[in-house]
Amino acid sequence: MWESGNRKKIEETEQITEQWGEYVFAIWHYQRYALKKSSSECDWEKATQMLTEARENGEPIKMRVSLDGIFRFLPELVVEYL
């Protein structure tokens, strides 16, 4: 019984981690392609920092999500569609 409960917790943690990575990718994608920033201006680490700061401050952050198969998720809260 303990093992099944432990596996459920691991699966939840993996799901949260995967979702975090997808949000970071969407922020990076927006920075690189919508704003046309170079890799030195926005890399994965910078996108991670941007998401962390937005989450801590409770502020929305712009990200680029297309529903054509690149992304496997839908954002939980959309403030504005572009």
Side-chain angles (χ1 to χ4, degrees), residues 18-31:
E18 183 176 332
Q19 185 180 27
W20 178 264
E22 289 171 342
Y23 279 116
V24 171
F25 180 76
I27 292 166
W28 174 84
H29 197 249
Y30 176 78
Q31 296 289 314

Side-chain angles (χ1 to χ4, degrees), residues 8-18:
K8 183 178 178 184
K9 185 171 180 141
I10 289 170
E11 288 173 0
E12 289 172 0
T13 302
E14 288 172 351
Q15 184 179 16
I16 290 168
T17 302
E18 183 176 332

Side-chain angles (χ1 to χ4, degrees), residues 50-62:
M50 293 170 71
L51 180 56
T52 301
E53 290 172 8
R55 182 187 62 179
E56 289 173 356
N57 296 327
E59 298 173 350
I61 188 166
K62 290 186 177 185

Side-chain angles (χ1 to χ4, degrees), residues 24-47 50 62-64 71:
V24 171
F25 180 76
I27 292 166
W28 174 84
H29 197 249
Y30 176 78
Q31 296 289 314
R32 293 279 289 147
Y33 295 100
L35 300 180
K36 301 189 186 321
K37 291 188 175 182
S38 68
S39 59
S40 63
E41 292 176 297
C42 187
D43 58 10
W44 188 264
E45 187 174 325
K46 176 71 174 170
M50 293 170 71
K62 290 186 177 185
M63 56 182 72
R64 184 175 180 173
F71 296 92

